Amino acid sequence: MTSAEPLKVAVTGAAGQIGYSLLFRLASGALAADRPIELRLLEIEPALKALEGVVMELDDCAFPLLAGVEIGSDAEKIFDGVNLALLVGARPRGPGMERGDLLSANGAIFTAQGKALNAVAADDVRIGVTGNPANTNALIAMTNAPDIPRERFSALTRLDHNRAISQLAAKTGAKVTDIKKMTIWGNHSATQYPDLFHAEVNGQNAAELVGDQAWLEGDFIPTVAKRGAAIIDARGSSSAASAASATIDAARDWLFGSAQDDWVSMAVVSKGEYDVPEGLISSFPVTTSGGDWSIVEGLEIDDFSRARIDASTAELADERKAVTELGLI
Ligand SMILES: NC(=O)C1=CN([C@@H]2O[C@H](COP(=O)(O)OP(=O)(O)OC[C@H]3O[C@@H](n4cnc5c(N)ncnc54)[C@H](O)[C@@H]3O)[C@@H](O)[C@H]2O)C=CC1
Ligand SMILES: O=C([O-])CC(=O)C(=O)O
């Protein structure tokens, strides 16, 4: 397609909390500053009236780049010809729950949406899953869309990545832009492993600069891994604006490329890299270019990191087993 044609972007769960931040940023050019965008918004029937109100507000912003908005509850109509699908719509967890507790409530959404994308999405479609449990929901959608290359599915760990950068910046007094090569490994869950051993602060190894294993183990890793729960405790509902922002960061870098001297974290299908079991959707360090990602290879993984990556991917394997037993894949 020519760059003058609108980018067709589907958002599911568009009347929800994340949708309320995401749609306005998409329409104002945060994804592609010089490209018109057409929004295709999917909701369940009872939420369509609320979504109509959100569309009224989008209209009222008179966004120059917004080329059209379509709403509906039929996935095959909404996904027709989309270049990017942001699968946000799913139930959020409440206090005391882990994201994996949502598997049976949310998993079925992703079988139906995977099938619909398989049937009608554009040939160049990219699919980003934000709805929790994001990695396994992406696995479900991918498995139910056999004609779409597996590399076109990704789950969101960019929020964790951004959280890790922010925590490290606060600890070292650096600016967030001084921090490069952050990595989140594994699942978007409390077992995720934010890795400082390959991260850099102004070119210096972050773990060496911090030089404080107790902080790394007792503070940094749990703060990042449990940030979602801390926000639920404080706000009474799960993170929304930051999740929308990370959803856009991830999609923008995927479609239009990431910085050459840096990498980002994306949960993508494993071909066995870093001994992550084949076929799991697990977070890795990746670079992106021309709409494709590639896993950064050749990083040395010490015993400390190995144990944490293994624990998180074991959880992903358990989730895969659970959704297989539920008949979702
Ligand atoms: N991966 C990440 O980093 C993050 C993921 N999340 C997850 O994102 C999801 C959405 O969160 P919120 O917007 O806060 O929830 P919300 O409850 O405010 O909105 C979810 C929306 O999805 C809609 N929905 C439900 N089933 C649907 C279906 N089959 N098709 C289309 N829409 C459907 C609901 O009607 C609702 O409007 C949750 O699962 C949450 O846990 C939230 C924050 C960060
Ligand atoms: O914690 C939650 O349930 C929402 C989420 O995924 C996050 O904020 O990382």
Side-chain angles (χ1 to χ4, degrees):
M1 101 163 80
T2 67
S3 60
E5 271 182 61
L7 192 68
K8 289 186 185 156
V9 180
V11 177
T12 71
Q17 284 202 95
I18 294 176
Y20 199 63
S21 283
L22 183 60
L23 302 182
F24 295 85
R25 296 214 36 217
L26 289 169
S28 66
L31 180 65
D34 52 2
R35 179 92 173 261
I37 190 167
E38 186 180 318
L39 291 175
R40 304 291 195 81
L41 310 180
L42 186 71
E43 258 297 349
I44 52 170
E45 194 73 34
L48 285 177
K49 185 163 188 292
L51 185 55
E52 280 170 18
V54 177
V55 175
M56 287 160 73
E57 287 203 71
L58 280 167
D59 289 344
D60 294 350
C61 293
F63 286 122
L65 288 172
L66 187 57
V69 185
E70 199 177 315
I71 73 170
S73 58
D74 179 339
E76 287 210 7
K77 279 194 188 142
I78 293 298
F79 291 158
D80 190 24
V82 296
N83 310 111
L84 173 69
L86 300 174
L87 306 186
V88 177
R91 209 180 114 189
R93 64 174 167 156
M97 291 172 78
E98 289 299 333
R99 298 180 188 96
D101 297 338
L102 296 168
L103 260 185
S104 56
N106 289 341
I109 296 173
F110 294 84
T111 53
Q113 292 181 359
K115 287 182 178 139
L117 286 163
N118 196 57
V120 300
D123 285 347
D124 67 354
V125 69
R126 266 79 183 154
I127 297 139
V129 177
T130 297
N132 277 319
N135 301 53
T136 299
N137 288 339
L139 177 74
I140 295 169
M142 180 184 84
T143 310
N144 282 278
D147 302 328
I148 300 177
R150 300 200 304 172
E151 295 72 26
R152 303 291 188 77
F153 290 84
S154 173
L156 188 73
T157 51
R158 184 61 174 265
L159 178 55
D160 312 292
H161 178 100
N162 289 346
R163 287 167 172 164
I165 288 176
S166 163
Q167 291 300 318
L168 180 60
K171 173 74 174 173
T172 57
K175 297 193 286 259
V176 289
T177 47
D178 295 333
I179 294 173
K180 310 265 189 240
K181 301 184 178 174
M182 182 60 74
T183 307
I184 304 294
W185 299 92
N187 199 1
H188 173 63
S189 76
T191 68
Q192 68 178 263
Y193 173 47
D195 175 0
L196 285 193
F197 293 98
H198 300 99
E200 293 174 0
V201 182
N202 285 313
Q204 201 182 336
N205 181 277
E208 281 171 22
L209 176 71
V210 169
D212 184 350
Q213 184 70 16
W215 176 80
L216 192 152
E217 281 186 54
D219 199 332
F220 173 74
I221 294 175
T223 298
V224 174
K226 296 181 185 162
R227 187 69 159 185
I231 288 166
I232 292 171
D233 279 349
R235 240 171 63 82
S237 47
S238 67
S239 62
S242 56
S245 193
T247 297
I248 290 178
D249 286 346
R252 188 196 54 232
D253 285 348
W254 192 2
L255 266 58
F256 305 111
S258 53
Q260 291 302 303
D261 61 342
D262 200 359
W263 65 60
V264 293
S265 303
M266 282 173 79
V268 292
V269 66
S270 170
K271 292 197 179 86
E273 295 90 343
Y274 295 101
D275 293 328
V276 173
E278 201 276 334
L280 292 178
I281 296 204
S282 187
S283 189
F284 288 100
V286 302
T287 55
T288 57
S289 170
D292 296 320
W293 50 263
S294 43
I295 292 175
V296 176
E297 299 213 51
L299 300 179
E300 254 179 60
I301 306 295
D302 66 9
D303 290 347
F304 177 85
S305 296
R306 183 75 261 158
R308 277 157 185 78
I309 295 170
D310 287 350
S312 197
T313 57
E315 181 184 49
L316 283 172
D318 285 348
E319 289 184 9
R320 175 167 64 183
K321 188 162 174 279
V323 296
T324 305
E325 285 164 9
L326 287 167
L328 299 173
I329 61 172

